[in-house]
Amino acid sequence: MSETVEKLRVDKWLWHARFFKTRTLAATQVKSGVVRINGTVTKKPASTVTQADVLTFAQGDHIRVIQIDALGIRRGPAPEAQALYTDLSPPEPKAQNKPPDNPGFDGKGRPSKKDRRTLDLSKARYLE
């Protein structure tokens, strides 16, 4: 089963490499003009890519720059998909205004039992 593929549709490759969950999503991104092949904007999902091509596209709020190392013959597991490309993207900047992952109770998150009792007492006093 040593099939070698010389060219592959760009939407199919993006789906094989697991950048998009479905091939339809990949085709939609290409049609919207977000994907560039070697610096040239493409709006056709049937555009072909080969090895050593460079794809540039937006994924979420991050710009991805990907060099194609291999053309897959199937959409396999993640390690197999990651072997298809080299990521040339600059690292994502860290968000400075990002809230902590698990905040304490400062009016945010779930109160502890003691905080809950205090809140209930203060509400009861206010209603009297």
Side-chain angles (χ1 to χ4, degrees):
M1 191 174 204
S2 61
E3 298 177 29
T4 57
V5 180
E6 296 175 6
K7 293 183 179 181
L8 192 64
R9 289 173 56 118
V10 66
D11 63 335
K12 200 170 185 180
W13 188 86
L14 287 167
W15 177 63
H16 281 190
R18 293 182 166 266
F19 286 108
F20 298 100
K21 193 170 184 177
T22 64
R23 189 169 161 191
T24 305
L25 286 174
T28 304
Q29 285 287 26
V30 175
K31 285 179 190 174
S32 68
V34 176
V35 179
R36 294 175 182 244
I37 301 173
N38 295 327
T40 306
V41 176
T42 183
K43 290 191 176 188
K44 295 183 179 180
S47 301
T48 57
V49 292
T50 59
Q51 285 184 347
D53 281 351
V54 177
L55 298 179
T56 307
F57 58 94
Q59 191 174 33
D61 58 350
H62 185 62
I63 303 296
R64 304 292 302 257
V65 181
I66 304 297
Q67 180 180 359
I68 299 174
D69 293 337
L71 302 175
I73 57 172
R74 69 182 187 118
R75 185 172 199 256
E80 186 178 312
Q82 290 168 352
L84 298 178
Y85 63 89
T86 303
D87 194 358
L88 305 174
S89 305
E92 288 187 48
K94 293 186 178 182
Q96 295 182 5
N97 295 334
K98 182 183 171 200
D101 291 333
N102 196 5
F105 181 69
D106 293 326
K108 304 175 189 171
R110 187 173 178 163
S112 66
K113 193 171 184 177
K114 182 180 178 184
D115 294 331
R116 186 68 197 177
R117 278 193 226 117
T118 307
L119 285 172
D120 289 341
L121 286 174
S122 65
K123 287 179 185 177
R125 287 186 199 135
Y126 178 75
L127 294 175
E128 290 177 353

